[in-house]
Amino acid sequence: MDARRRRILYRARHRGTHETDLLVGGFVAERIGAMDEAGLDSLEAVLDLPDPDLFDWLTGRRAVPAETETPLLRAMVDWAQARRGVSRG
């Protein structure tokens, strides 16, 4: 794994709260190998979002605001909810 991917994976697994580390880190660990440079850019933008907001969105406590939602963030939310057995719809 190249240095950029290692750095992103580390950031994803060390966000500050254990629960978000597991959700974000799990998604990133599964997908980072297949991401191109644009995907990595999008991922880094998601990682810049506040931890409490990400946790709330990933667990379905709050909806992702339209101005924040990106295809990558939507995929991450769907992935997290599927892990919890929640279907979208």
Side-chain angles (χ1 to χ4, degrees):
M1 190 179 300
D2 64 73
R4 183 179 185 195
R5 283 180 170 76
R6 283 193 312 269
R7 187 173 53 252
I8 290 170
L9 183 57
Y10 181 87
R11 280 185 67 196
R13 289 180 169 166
H14 298 88
R15 297 203 41 90
T17 59
H18 181 70
E19 295 83 0
T20 310
D21 293 349
L22 294 174
L23 291 172
V24 175
F27 175 85
V28 172
E30 276 189 22
R31 309 267 176 111
I32 197 164
M35 289 184 172
D36 60 12
E37 292 300 313
L40 295 175
D41 291 343
S42 295
L43 181 55
E44 287 182 317
V46 169
L47 294 178
D48 287 339
L49 295 168
D51 203 54
D53 290 337
L54 267 178
F55 180 77
D56 284 351
W57 300 331
L58 294 174
T59 59
R61 292 171 78 179
R62 290 189 299 134
V64 178
E67 66 273 8
T68 305
E69 189 166 359
T70 63
L72 182 77
L73 183 53
R74 174 48 47 204
M76 190 179 288
V77 168
D78 291 346
W79 179 91
Q81 291 183 359
R83 292 285 183 263
R84 297 177 51 234
V86 176
S87 63
R88 185 174 172 204

